[in-house]
Amino acid sequence: MSRTPLPSDLDGQLLLGTVAIEPNRWGTIRPDRSPETQVTEWADRIRALPVDGLELWEGHLLADGMSPIDDVPVRVLNSYVGFDDDDDADRIEIARRARTCGARAVKFNVGNDLAAADAYGERLGRWVDQLGDDVVPVCECHEGISIAENPAVARRVFDLAGDRVRALVHTHESSDVTAAKFEAFGERIAHVHVNHLDTATFSHPTLAEVEDVLAAKIDQLRSFGFRGSWTLEFVAGLLTTDDHPGALLEQVDTDLAVLRPLLKGS
């Protein structure tokens, strides 16, 4: 079977992940992950960025589920909704919020219980229907928090859930990990998180500091036929004294000046 990625209506788009400008992204300020950043207060700065839209962290939605910036579209809703509970209520609510804000995709992770792999697939399949025809679920397949970090297991879950499930990869992954994902479910890979987070220190370099690594990853993805979308997920400054929207948006602007030419040149 061909593992060439299937086309998406987000192909080629570059997005800002608003989790990048959220100091409470991991609950380090308040365990409930309630947002520190009011995205509406930074609307002018975000409008000026050379991006095609947002990957909006679910905590940044307005109370009515609408986007915080009217004229900057939400392309992907970044959700942390769980799949360990068989009750669909929370997932149905995220599906409703995704439709309300106009997202075309929802980022998600299944849980970390290998024995629940088939249950995750069944719940994910139900969620596909709950999202509706215009919203696509995109698995982050996150290392350490999801059984989908294993490409073979991820493939099993996806196949149980149906053809509409998509997946993403990260630029900090090794070339071997990326290759294994394309071998297992490459036709489903539609999105990339540009993320070079050091999980040992929870520090992040500027993209200028890892430009060669990033360029090599982009070349590898293109070699597999990838033409999908990209989110700038994290930037330098997180968990430092610069972990506030003003400084983080300055770094976003600097990193985009590195990322956009690499994407155009590949």
Side-chain angles (χ1 to χ4, degrees):
M1 178 185 295
S2 171
R3 297 293 186 230
T4 302
L6 296 167
S8 160
D9 59 7
L10 298 183
D11 283 357
Q13 295 192 9
L14 175 56
L15 312 178
L16 169 64
T18 63
V19 72
I21 62 170
E22 175 51 60
N24 201 34
R25 61 184 73 79
W26 294 311
T28 52
I29 300 171
R30 290 179 300 280
D32 65 357
R33 284 188 177 176
S34 56
E36 284 280 290
T37 300
Q38 301 301 313
V39 174
T40 52
E41 295 177 4
W42 301 94
D44 289 344
R45 291 277 298 275
I46 292 172
R47 287 189 189 100
L49 294 171
V51 295
D52 301 302
L54 301 177
E55 180 172 324
L56 191 79
W57 182 52
E58 60 189 350
H60 289 154
L61 286 167
L62 299 181
D64 61 2
M66 297 296 289
S67 169
I69 310 178
D70 289 343
D71 50 352
V72 181
V74 177
R75 303 299 192 191
V76 180
L77 183 62
N78 180 348
S79 177
Y80 290 84
V81 70
F83 282 81
D84 284 302
D85 191 335
D86 194 51
D87 186 344
D88 289 338
D90 288 346
R91 294 185 291 273
I92 289 172
E93 174 60 14
I94 289 297
R96 184 192 68 79
R97 290 164 76 83
R99 293 191 299 272
T100 298
C101 74
R104 301 310 303 271
V106 182
K107 185 233 79 178
F108 73 95
N109 280 292
V110 297
N112 204 26
D113 181 0
L114 185 59
D118 289 356
Y120 292 152
E122 292 167 4
R123 292 165 194 162
L124 179 56
R126 296 200 300 267
W127 197 45
V128 170
D129 293 335
Q130 292 153 2
L131 286 168
D133 293 340
D134 295 330
V135 184
V136 175
V138 180
C139 182
E140 190 174 21
C141 305
H142 203 294
E143 182 180 4
I145 67 171
S146 166
I147 61 170
E149 69 178 345
N150 180 316
V153 174
R155 180 85 211 189
R156 174 181 163 191
V157 172
F158 298 162
D159 286 349
L160 285 169
D163 294 340
R164 289 186 55 225
V165 178
R166 296 292 178 263
L168 66 84
V169 295
H170 294 82
T171 55
H172 69 343
E173 295 170 349
S174 72
S175 58
D176 288 345
V177 167
T178 301
K181 290 182 177 180
F182 272 89
E183 175 65 25
F185 52 82
E187 74 280 9
R188 296 181 184 267
I189 297 173
H191 193 52
V192 176
H193 275 172
V194 179
N195 169 349
H196 292 270
L197 186 69
D198 182 338
T199 56
T201 63
F202 278 85
S203 61
H204 197 289
T206 68
L207 289 192
E209 292 171 329
V210 291
E211 184 171 357
D212 290 347
V213 174
L214 176 58
K217 179 57 64 175
I218 291 170
D219 286 345
Q220 182 188 28
L221 293 170
R222 297 303 196 208
S223 75
F224 290 125
F226 180 80
R227 293 293 183 271
S229 48
W230 307 75
T231 288
L232 183 61
E233 185 183 21
F234 295 127
V235 297
L238 54 78
L239 299 184
T240 73
T241 56
D242 286 332
D243 201 351
H244 55 86
L248 294 168
L249 280 166
E250 288 183 13
Q251 188 58 54
V252 165
D253 208 18
T254 300
D255 280 357
L256 288 173
V258 174
L259 179 58
R260 287 191 69 87
L262 290 176
L263 295 179
K264 288 182 178 178
S266 61

